[in-house]
Amino acid sequence: QVGSRANLFSRRSQVPGQVAMAMRGGMKHKPPIPFRALEKVRVRPNSLVQICLKRVAENFLTYDNLDKKLGRKQLEDVYAMLDLDMSLPEAATRISDENYWKRRTQAKHRNAQVEKHGMSWKQTFLELDLQEALEKLPITFDYTGPELEALKQQVHASRLHIFQLSIGQFPSHIDLSFLFDALPALCSFSITYGNRRLGMDYERAMFGMKISDAQYLARNIRVSQTLVSLALPCNMIDDELVKVLMGGLSYGHMLTHLDLSHNKIGDRGARRLASLLDPDYCLQTLDLSDNQIHANGCMHLGAHLAENMTCAVLNLRLNRCEDNGVSHLFQDLCVNKYLRTLNLSCNDLTVRCLPYMNSMISENATLTELDLSANPLYQAEAGDAAAGATMSNQFGVFANCLMESKTLLRVDIRQCGLPEEMAEQITTTVKHRELRAKGIPVEAYEKSKVAPVEEEEAPEGEEGEEGVEGAEQVEGEAGEAKEGAAEGAEGEAEQEEKQEEEN
């Protein structure tokens, strides 16, 4: 027993020493603290398949027919690793993956809208890139240099994906035949010759279309078999250039949209363009706004429009058609049954054209939009009672025609000088007709208009109450000031009387 107790005592005496040694050792070899978040993130080496796909992406141009050698998921991984700065001719012919073209488009053209380019990212990038390349061409361009050859290679590589081109500025005057000949699907083309931003380096030759440009364009329009929309705005096109362009437009039997706005076309040019409204053509939209067309040109447009069966939109805004030309146009529109939108704003129309306009509105059953804004229709001379009564009768018939029409859904009569009550009545009636045509309840629309007005009136009422309270406070303060002044005057009078008595 004595021995066992000694052994037990020795063991107990050894325990603190062992614990101390274990603690000293633990300071040197402390176990790591486990973190679950770090345990989930583990760096794993790439698999052999990933290494191979990365190598394929690096040497993409050296492989052919990868779509037949790789699976769909593997091919998507390769496209995701491709360089966005790859040569465009190679990328256009080899890559059809939309995700790749989306990344490349958003990297170079941040504001690109795929909705305007057929919902295809590849088409979006190729069209925008070609437009940018054409807009950057210098005025003095070397036809034999490498730049033109590179541009032709780009056009050839993207030829199956170019459907529309909108060139905002074209400083060069080269022949664009290489575009129309190489693009079999080009259906919409818009171009403006000249520079948009010149600063102090202004030169007249840097603006507008030349005769050589019109000749080249006429040839290209004549050759093209797919062009349906042509826009030539802001090109300083006059009657002589229209004569040259008609050499190609007369062959454009597939044109549906023609935009010649913001030019210098006169009556002779309008007379030539009116032939495009003949039954042999299918023009649906004709925009001649902001030109120099007078009554004679408007008369010819109306004469050809009477038998037309395709044109739905005619824009003659900012011209000089005046009452004479517009009166003939209204007479021809009494027969036309296909025009839906007519814009005659800013054409110096007066009360003399109202009888023809009223008859046109009454007899035409297809016109849905009519813009008459900024025309001095209502001008009653001061002191002439008979003229005022006559105008009142004519405008009464005009208002009744607009309000009783069953087809007019939009009418713009702003800045015509009409009385406010008449203009408001006409606008409200036409707006209600438009809402009913769209299936929108008129009562809901009126309530939505009344609600904001009440909200605006409420703060004004609160401000008025605060103003009344403030006025009352001011009046009270003024009354107190008057009473104090009276008491002070009485006190001064008493002091003066006491001083006199003492004296």
Side-chain angles (χ1 to χ4, degrees):
Q1 293 178 354
V2 173
S4 62
R5 289 178 179 177
N7 293 333
L8 182 60
F9 179 76
S10 63
R11 289 176 183 174
R12 288 178 178 177
S13 62
Q14 291 177 359
V15 169
Q18 294 176 356
V19 172
M21 292 295 293
M23 290 178 65
R24 293 192 192 98
M27 293 295 290
K28 295 180 180 179
H29 304 285
K30 188 176 180 179
I33 301 174
F35 291 98
R36 295 182 178 179
L38 294 177
E39 290 179 357
K40 293 181 180 179
V41 182
R42 295 178 180 177
V43 180
R44 297 180 180 178
N46 294 329
S47 64
L48 183 59
V49 175
Q50 292 176 343
I51 295 173
C52 294
L53 294 178
K54 185 177 180 181
R55 183 59 60 87
V56 171
E58 292 175 354
N59 302 283
F60 180 78
L61 298 179
T62 60
Y63 298 98
D64 295 328
N65 300 326
L66 283 177
D67 54 340
K68 298 179 181 179
K69 300 176 182 178
L70 298 177
R72 184 174 61 84
K73 183 64 174 62
Q74 295 175 346
L75 201 59
E76 291 178 357
D77 294 340
V78 171
Y79 288 144
M81 291 183 286
L82 288 178
D83 185 14
L84 297 180
D85 296 329
M86 186 186 301
S87 174
L88 184 59
E90 295 290 343
T93 54
R94 290 173 175 265
I95 303 173
S96 59
D97 183 61
E98 283 291 300
N99 292 325
Y100 170 82
W101 290 108
K102 180 179 180 180
R103 290 188 293 114
R104 187 160 181 170
T105 303
Q106 292 178 346
K108 188 173 183 180
H109 308 282
R110 294 184 178 180
N111 298 325
Q113 298 180 7
V114 68
E115 299 85 5
K116 297 182 179 180
H117 300 271
M119 297 299 294
S120 171
W121 286 105
K122 184 175 183 179
Q123 177 184 341
T124 303
F125 182 84
L126 294 177
E127 288 179 352
L128 293 178
D129 204 70
L130 183 56
Q131 289 173 193
E132 183 178 353
L134 292 172
E135 289 178 353
K136 290 182 178 179
L137 287 179
I139 297 178
T140 57
F141 190 74
D142 187 7
Y143 287 88
T144 60
E147 297 178 355
L148 182 60
E149 188 63 28
L151 185 60
K152 289 183 178 180
Q153 290 181 1
Q154 180 180 351
V155 171
H156 181 75
S158 56
R159 59 190 180 89
L160 298 178
H161 301 276
I162 302 295
F163 294 87
Q164 56 183 350
L165 287 176
S166 179
I167 305 171
Q169 66 170 10
F170 192 63
S172 179
H173 295 277
I174 64 171
D175 185 6
L176 294 176
S177 300
F178 67 93
L179 274 181
F180 288 85
D181 295 341
L183 300 179
L186 183 63
C187 58
S188 177
F189 185 72
S190 174
I191 187 170
T192 298
Y193 287 86
N195 287 274
R196 283 179 295 191
R197 298 177 182 87
L198 291 177
M200 300 299 293
D201 301 330
Y202 172 80
E203 291 184 12
R204 174 60 182 84
M206 301 176 72
F207 289 93
M209 179 186 296
K210 296 182 179 181
I211 296 180
S212 59
D213 300 329
Q215 293 173 348
Y216 295 148
L217 197 57
R219 179 262 174 194
N220 295 326
I221 296 171
R222 186 168 62 250
V223 170
S224 177
Q225 299 181 359
T226 57
L227 193 65
V228 296
S229 177
L230 178 64
L232 303 172
C234 306
N235 280 300
M236 295 186 178
I237 299 175
D238 55 7
D239 294 341
E240 296 300 324
L241 288 178
V242 169
K243 181 180 180 180
V244 178
L245 288 173
M246 284 302 297
L249 292 175
S250 59
Y251 291 89
H253 295 280
M254 295 184 63
L255 272 180
T256 59
H257 295 75
L258 180 60
D259 182 3
L260 294 173
S261 59
H262 309 290
N263 286 295
K264 297 182 178 181
I265 301 175
D267 290 339
R268 290 186 299 163
R271 184 175 181 176
R272 291 189 174 94
L273 292 172
S275 62
L276 298 178
L277 298 174
D278 290 340
D280 296 336
Y281 301 92
C282 57
L283 203 62
Q284 297 178 3
T285 302
L286 179 59
D287 189 352
L288 297 175
S289 60
D290 192 13
N291 278 284
Q292 299 175 3
I293 301 175
H294 291 74
N296 193 9
C298 186
M299 290 169 55
H300 283 93
L301 288 172
H304 287 267
L305 198 62
E307 300 178 358
N308 183 271
M309 301 175 61
T310 58
C311 187
V313 179
L314 177 62
N315 191 345
L316 294 174
R317 181 176 60 94
L318 290 170
N319 279 285
R320 300 166 180 82
C321 297
E322 300 177 343
D323 296 325
N324 191 15
V326 170
S327 299
H328 288 82
L329 177 63
F330 287 149
Q331 289 180 346
D332 295 320
L333 287 180
C334 293
V335 183
N336 182 279
K337 298 181 180 180
Y338 297 93
L339 191 70
R340 297 184 178 276
T341 302
L342 178 62
N343 193 332
L344 292 173
S345 62
C346 303
N347 272 280
D348 295 333
L349 306 184
T350 63
V351 66
R352 292 183 297 174
C353 71
L354 281 184
Y356 304 96
M357 188 189 303
N358 295 336
S359 62
M360 185 272 294
I361 295 174
S362 302
E363 298 180 17
N364 192 298
T366 57
L367 195 66
T368 58
E369 297 183 20
L370 179 62
D371 191 344
L372 299 172
S373 59
N375 285 302
L377 291 176
Y378 195 92
Q379 289 182 343
E381 297 180 0
D384 192 350
T390 304
M391 290 186 64
S392 299
N393 296 333
Q394 291 180 358
F395 277 96
V397 176
F398 172 65
N400 291 332
C401 291
L402 290 179
M403 291 187 291
E404 293 176 1
S405 175
K406 298 180 180 180
T407 57
L408 274 177
L409 303 180
R410 290 183 182 179
V411 176
D412 193 349
I413 52 175
R414 294 173 297 173
Q415 299 181 4
C416 289
L418 296 177
E420 293 184 2
E421 296 180 358
M422 181 185 294
E424 181 67 23
Q425 187 177 4
I426 294 173
T427 304
T428 303
T429 305
V430 176
K431 185 63 179 179
H432 289 179
R433 189 186 303 131
E434 180 187 2
L435 294 175
R436 294 190 191 97
K438 294 181 178 180
I440 301 174
V442 177
E443 296 77 10
Y445 173 75
E446 293 296 336
K447 289 180 181 179
S448 65
K449 288 176 60 178
V450 173
V453 175
E454 293 178 351
E455 293 178 358
E456 292 177 359
E457 291 178 352
E460 291 178 359
E462 294 176 359
E463 292 176 359
E465 294 176 358
E466 293 176 357
V468 172
E469 293 176 357
E472 292 176 354
Q473 292 179 0
V474 171
E475 291 177 358
E477 293 175 358
E480 293 176 359
K482 289 180 180 179
E483 293 176 359
E487 292 176 357
E490 292 176 357
E492 291 178 359
E494 292 176 357
Q495 290 180 2
E496 290 178 357
E497 290 177 358
K498 289 180 180 180
Q499 290 178 1
E500 290 177 357
E501 290 176 358
E502 291 176 357
N503 295 330

